Amino acid sequence: MSFEHLLNFVEHDMRMSHVYQPVMLRVLLAKQGQATVDEIALALLQEDRSQLDYYRTIVTNMVGRVLTKRGLVTRNGPTYQIPNFETLTTDQARQLEQACLAKLSAYVERRGDAIWAHRRQSAGYISGTLRYDILKDAKFRCELCGVSAEERALEVDHILPRKRGGSDDPTNLQALCYQCNAMKRDRDDTDFRAVRAAMGRTDDGCPFCSPTMCIAENELALALWDRFPVTPLHALIVPKRHVADYFDLGMPEVRAIQLLVSEVRNRIFARDATVEGFNSGVNSGEVAGQTIPHAHLHLIPRRRDDHPDPRGGVRAVIPGQTRHD
């Protein structure tokens, strides 16, 4: 590889979607043309501001708070200090440092990789492709606080933790920033065994609990054609769990339904090129027109001229209101 070729690539041909390429080449050049994966990864880590933000949070909210409360350190704005450090001799400071290193070495030897299991958990279980899909569906924002991936690192979280029976199915995954994921992990004391059992609840007399045929399904929801369609290819998306009110569904079920809405919408487009739009919605309660006490979402394809005046859309559920959109 010639100097001219490398320089031309860096200055003219390098197409960057992240900092990775110049950082890796810089490390290789600094290491006499070769470097280990760990050396390159460490250089990337040093450039990752989101990781720095993560450990800032660890310092201020965890370790700094504990040591301050014990009176071992004090804080002045962004700076921590050991009180009366100037009274320590050089040998005393060195002895304390060696004691810390010995404590650290013993802990690492005892715990090994388990020390960092909480940091590896979301990435270790999820393939790169699935991780990207989950983050893309979340518009690269935390689904709890809404922060952008550009401001804070996002992680793929198991809504129902894997160690409590949660799967890697997309319906059980969500995008959380590292702060929200840490708070969820520390504060969530839900007994997920009861949640998992409830997901299997059905009613023998309910037509949606035992459909004869479905269009598509995932772990928590299924789709079927409406037996009394408003328009051709009118579909229903229903949770597998028997629950009457859509607003009583858990977020994993809502996510599962939304995934099927997108899938069935694409199937309808593929089957009928005349479809140009959709009405979608739920009937919640008898006064809202719900006739089957099993939550379901309507996905109704719309075609040009299928109604003489479609303006107002779903407002037509109340006669006379369609003109006010």
Side-chain angles (χ1 to χ4, degrees):
M1 183 62 63
S2 69
F3 166 76
E4 290 79 9
H5 191 175
L6 277 169
L7 185 62
N8 183 69
F9 173 77
V10 174
E11 292 185 343
H12 304 292
D13 294 338
M14 184 181 285
R15 299 291 180 264
M16 295 173 58
S17 60
H18 215 295
V19 302
Y20 304 144
Q21 293 182 56
V23 171
M24 181 171 177
L25 287 174
R26 188 187 68 198
V27 172
L28 290 168
L29 291 165
K31 296 286 184 178
Q32 305 301 309
Q34 64 180 19
T36 66
V37 171
D38 284 353
E39 289 171 332
I40 297 168
L42 182 59
L44 291 174
L45 181 61
Q46 291 173 339
E47 297 289 340
D48 189 342
R49 305 296 298 181
S50 68
Q51 295 300 317
L52 183 59
D53 288 342
Y54 174 84
Y55 284 107
R56 281 197 185 104
T57 302
I58 295 294
V59 170
T60 56
N61 292 349
M62 296 177 64
V63 58
R65 181 175 296 176
V66 171
L67 293 180
T68 300
K69 187 175 182 179
R70 296 292 296 271
L72 300 173
V73 303
T74 60
R75 181 180 180 183
N76 182 17
T79 304
Y80 286 92
Q81 61 186 24
I82 295 177
N84 303 316
F85 176 80
E86 65 278 1
T87 64
L88 298 176
T89 67
T90 301
D91 286 342
Q92 287 174 331
R94 185 179 298 113
Q95 184 177 346
L96 287 168
E97 186 177 353
Q98 290 299 319
C100 288
L101 288 173
K103 197 77 171 183
L104 177 61
S105 296
Y107 184 77
V108 170
E109 183 176 355
R110 184 172 74 253
R111 294 292 309 280
D113 288 345
I115 297 171
W116 308 108
H118 70 290
R119 293 291 291 151
R120 295 192 179 103
Q121 187 171 16
S122 54
Y125 293 138
I126 307 300
S127 71
T129 299
L130 181 53
R131 172 183 167 80
Y132 175 78
D133 288 342
I134 297 301
L135 297 181
K136 182 178 70 173
D137 288 343
K139 309 303 182 187
F140 293 95
R141 289 186 175 273
C142 174
E143 297 184 73
L144 183 57
C145 73
V147 70
S148 167
E150 295 179 355
E151 299 179 44
R152 194 178 300 156
L154 296 185
E155 301 174 345
V156 174
D157 168 65
H158 287 78
I159 299 171
L160 177 62
R162 230 171 169 266
K163 65 182 180 181
R164 294 179 177 173
S167 73
D168 292 344
D169 188 272
T171 61
N172 190 47
L173 302 175
Q174 63 184 348
L176 295 181
C177 71
Y178 66 81
Q179 286 186 351
C180 288
N181 200 9
M183 288 189 293
K184 171 182 181 287
R185 188 165 50 241
D186 293 340
R187 299 174 61 186
D188 195 341
D189 58 358
T190 303
D191 184 351
F192 285 104
R193 292 171 298 178
V195 175
R196 189 164 67 251
M199 290 301 178
R201 184 184 303 129
T202 59
D203 185 327
D204 292 338
C206 174
F208 293 162
C209 286
S210 54
T212 56
M213 185 177 69
C214 64
I215 309 166
E217 65 177 313
N218 54 36
E219 189 172 330
L220 300 179
L222 55 86
L224 55 150
W225 300 122
D226 194 295
R227 293 168 56 189
F228 305 99
V230 174
T231 69
L233 301 181
H234 176 176
L236 301 175
I237 319 296
V238 305
K240 290 184 176 179
R241 177 171 67 103
H242 184 75
V243 56
D245 195 332
Y246 184 89
F247 297 103
D248 287 335
L249 297 175
M251 285 310 299
E253 293 169 304
V254 172
R255 173 183 293 278
I257 288 172
Q258 192 57 46
L259 287 171
L260 284 184
V261 166
S262 297
E263 180 179 341
V264 174
R265 175 178 175 271
N266 290 336
R267 290 194 185 194
I268 292 172
F269 274 138
R271 288 186 57 169
D272 190 341
T274 67
V275 174
E276 297 184 30
F278 291 87
N279 291 113
S280 65
V282 298
N283 301 322
S284 178
E286 183 179 350
V287 297
Q290 184 177 4
T291 57
I292 297 177
H294 186 130
H296 53 283
L297 182 146
H298 292 264
L299 184 64
I300 304 172
R302 298 302 301 270
R303 301 157 180 86
R304 192 163 297 280
D305 300 325
D306 62 8
H307 189 280
D309 187 6
R311 289 180 297 174
V314 296
R315 295 176 67 98
V317 296
I318 304 294
Q321 296 298 313
T322 58
R323 294 274 183 172
H324 297 286
D325 258 15

